[in-house]
Amino acid sequence: LFPGGYTVFFGPAYLAVPYFEKIGFKVPANENPADFFLDVLSGIVPKAGDPKFSPDQLHMLWRNDVTASLQEYLGVDVMKGIDSKHSGNEADMNLFLRSALSRVGYWWEQTDVDNSGTLDKDECMAMFKKIGLSENEAELEAVYASFDSDNDGFVSRDEFDA
């Protein structure tokens, strides 16, 4: 987390080095990656090819990466759950979506403004649009249905994080 609680990376530890390299921060040989990441967050390490880089841009870089991943995945027929990168079944699609969306859990807090711990369908659809999932209502309906596992018309935080 970046100061202020902003996410700059979320995922398994083994993906941290490739992610930071992808956004322009190559961990030097024989350097502890955790120490290097702290130096990146504090602004000690410059971003390759970007002399105007500031660490406060890290959150937006992460958010853009998550959104791009989701949009790339949702570029397929979500209703059928077909994707050449995955096994092509709906359970696999839902697992991917749950994993990717859990990385943007801060949107939950922004959407659940009444702190009820649940989001109704309209709130979920608005949140999905905010994070750039899709503008296609049928796709968003499929995503919503995958989260409302008990079919009560609300998505609880437990359902969202499952």
Side-chain angles (χ1 to χ4, degrees):
L1 287 178
F2 190 70
Y6 291 100
T7 304
V8 297
F9 173 79
F10 183 85
Y14 71 90
L15 292 178
V17 170
Y19 170 74
F20 276 89
E21 287 181 356
K22 181 170 111 177
I23 64 167
F25 298 97
K26 183 163 178 51
V27 179
N30 301 319
E31 182 156 353
N32 179 325
D35 290 336
F36 179 78
F37 300 147
L38 289 173
D39 289 345
V40 169
L41 290 171
S42 66
I44 294 170
V45 175
K47 182 176 179 202
D50 188 356
K52 294 182 180 180
F53 173 77
S54 164
D56 60 339
Q57 296 170 326
L58 289 167
H59 171 68
M60 192 56 68
L61 289 170
W62 172 79
R63 189 174 133 195
N64 291 343
D65 183 68
V66 169
T67 301
S69 296
L70 291 170
Q71 287 174 334
E72 178 182 339
Y73 187 84
L74 290 172
V76 300
D77 185 350
V78 175
M79 299 303 289
K80 294 182 181 173
I82 298 170
D83 183 22
S84 62
K85 295 183 203 96
H86 301 285
S87 62
N89 64 46
E90 189 169 334
D92 190 48
M93 174 195 73
N94 289 341
L95 179 63
F96 174 85
L97 289 171
R98 288 175 187 283
S99 172
L101 285 171
S102 71
R103 294 168 54 190
V104 291
Y106 66 91
W107 284 105
W108 179 278
E109 283 78 23
Q110 290 188 4
T111 305
D112 184 22
V113 293
D114 63 357
N115 293 316
S116 66
T118 62
L119 300 179
D120 65 25
K121 185 176 180 179
D122 291 337
E123 290 172 318
C124 281
M125 300 291 266
M127 179 178 62
F128 296 156
K129 287 179 182 179
K130 279 184 196 176
I131 63 175
L133 273 179
S134 176
E135 291 294 323
N136 181 300
E137 291 295 321
E139 289 175 350
L140 294 176
E141 292 275 345
V143 173
Y144 172 77
S146 78
F147 282 97
D148 186 15
S149 59
D150 61 7
N151 297 311
D152 66 352
F154 294 92
V155 174
S156 69
R157 185 61 194 248
D158 288 340
E159 287 175 306
F160 184 76
D161 289 337

